[in-house]
Amino acid sequence: MQALPIFFNIAQRPCIVIGGGDVATRKVGMLRKAQGEVTVISPALGGELQTMLAAGEIQYLAASFSPEQLTGACLVIAATDDTAVNEAVSVAARRLNIPVNVVDAPALCTFTMGSIIDRSPVVIAVSSEGNAPVLARHIRSKIETMLPAAYGRIAAIAGEFRDQVKTRFSTTQLRRRFWEEVLNGPLVERVLSGQEQAARDLLDELLAKSEDAPSRGEVYLVGGGPGDPDLLTFRALRLMQQCDVCVYDKLVSKEVMELVRRDAELIYVGKSRDQHTLPQEEINALLARLALEGKRVLRLKGGDPFIFGRGGEEIETLMQHGVPFQVVPGITAANGVSSYAGIPLTHRDYAQACLFITGHLKDGTIDLDWQAMARPRQTVVIYMGLVGLAQICAQLVAHGVSPDMPAAVIQQGTTHKQRVVESTLENLARDVAAAGLKPPSLTIVGEVVKLRPRLHWFTPGA
Ligand SMILES: C[S@@+](CC[C@H](N)C(=O)[O-])C[C@H]1O[C@@H](n2cnc3c(N)ncnc32)[C@H](O)[C@@H]1O
């Protein structure tokens, strides 16, 4: 992000527009909509601006631009077709620390306005930071079609009740919950169907019966998938947007974290191999404690919570404390990573079964069921197997798997940093070390790996 999106209150404050043509007229219209006191400075004035002047809506200075005209302005827009004048306006405004916009010249601007969706008092502005204005307009038109015009009315009615809600509930958390329940209920439909008084009555009713006390908290145990945020489920996203606090692991990608509600409290509980920021028992207790304080706790994990995720242990503790919870499955690394690497886990010709194995036991040893892993016509997927890779490959060969068996290690699968090393059991550890792969990485062993040259489709970073 290179520019901070802000909504700037210009009501009854002096704004200056340099230029008197069509573009200037559009900008004046926008400033007037936001109730700015607009002065237009230009040697000549177009027809529409003259009408506004006659109606007393704007002030006008019939003059060429000079820097002292900007003194006292809260905002300046240059909308002339003279590049030299536009540049002079930009320089003068910057010198006076006045925010300046020069139409179609992002390099001369200290602010831009984006594409606006106006459902006043709800206003949405879409910016591409000058990179792709057409894309910003395209996004705007998509949002326009999603937001019925009456959305502004919902905000206006909510505004009417704001003070009452503030008096009724003692904490921001309780107020926020009240509004969330209201907006997820029938109120929205009433306003959209034009029954505004019925909506007000409903709000009165809800206010009267709501308690000014924290309701019981709950825990959402959510699988955040292997990295690509597009792989989240709808439910995961909904709960991520409504939590009060998010307790998250190392494996949850930055892009997925971006989708957690902005003002939720974030608690990192780490967990990389051998380096647990918080011991598991303390994480379990933390979740229960936060929920018992009345919070909606998002326990966000990489992949799926029930696949090598210790989700089972966490909900056991919640059950002991009587804390309500729900579990939202996520795409586990084996599924996501194999798909993005172009390696089907099963295939009619090569594998009728698939094993998910952890290459790292609680006590740090590798003690696996090698016989089961060495069976033919199956795919073996090994989580957390990078450290013991050489030992795992050697054991598989020792238990009868061909040294030529295709195998691959995929680092940070599904993300733009995905790297894949394809090899054979015999050479995999050497090739992976040479490529310098790091965790999180997943190992796939089986005939299916040889399909990758034909089936891979995902180009990281593209
Ligand atoms: C503690 S396990 C958690 C697994 C997770 N619950 C799941 O369902 O994917 C962590 C291991 O998952 C694998 N893993 C998770 N995300 C991955 C990714 N994007 N690319 C490769 N491996 C990944 C790695 O083997 C990593 O060491």
Side-chain angles (χ1 to χ4, degrees), residues 44 245 329 392:
V245 49
I392 291 169

Side-chain angles (χ1 to χ4, degrees), residues 226 251 302-304 307-309 332-333 337 383-384 410 412-413 440-442:
L251 268 186
D304 180 90
I307 304 270
F308 306 129
T332 187
V337 171
Y383 289 70
M384 295 169 279
I410 303 110
Q412 286 171 288
S441 289
L442 196 80

Side-chain angles (χ1 to χ4, degrees), residues 15 52 63 70 104 108 131 153 244 256 289 308:
C15 305
M52 285 190 208
L70 302 186
D104 284 340
L108 298 180
N131 290 300
R153 298 300 310 141
D244 299 311
V256 168
R289 179 171 61 72
F308 306 129

Side-chain angles (χ1 to χ4, degrees), residues 10 45 87 94 97 104 134-135 179 201 216 221 226 230 236 254 277 281 298-299 310 313 366 379 383 385 408 428:
I10 59 163
L45 211 55
E87 265 178 37
R94 284 164 200 246
N97 275 329
D104 284 340
V134 177
L135 176 66
W179 282 120
D201 294 344
R216 247 179 359 153
L221 180 58
D230 278 4
K254 206 166 122 264
T277 302
E281 298 66 33
L298 172 75
R299 174 64 176 117
R310 305 188 74 173
E313 294 166 51
I366 305 176
T379 306
Y383 289 70
L428 187 65

Side-chain angles (χ1 to χ4, degrees), residues 220-241 246 248 251-261 298-305 328-332 336 340 414:
Y220 315 132
L221 180 58
V222 171
D228 182 348
D230 278 4
L231 296 180
L232 285 169
T233 60
F234 287 126
R235 188 186 293 183
L237 190 59
R238 183 161 47 77
L239 298 176
M240 284 163 73
Q241 304 266 330
C246 167
Y248 68 103
L251 268 186
V252 180
S253 72
K254 206 166 122 264
E255 291 78 5
V256 168
M257 285 305 297
E258 286 284 315
L259 298 171
V260 175
R261 219 189 81 223
L298 172 75
R299 174 64 176 117
L300 189 57
K301 290 175 163 287
D304 180 90
V328 183
I331 292 191
T332 187
Y340 278 57
T414 80

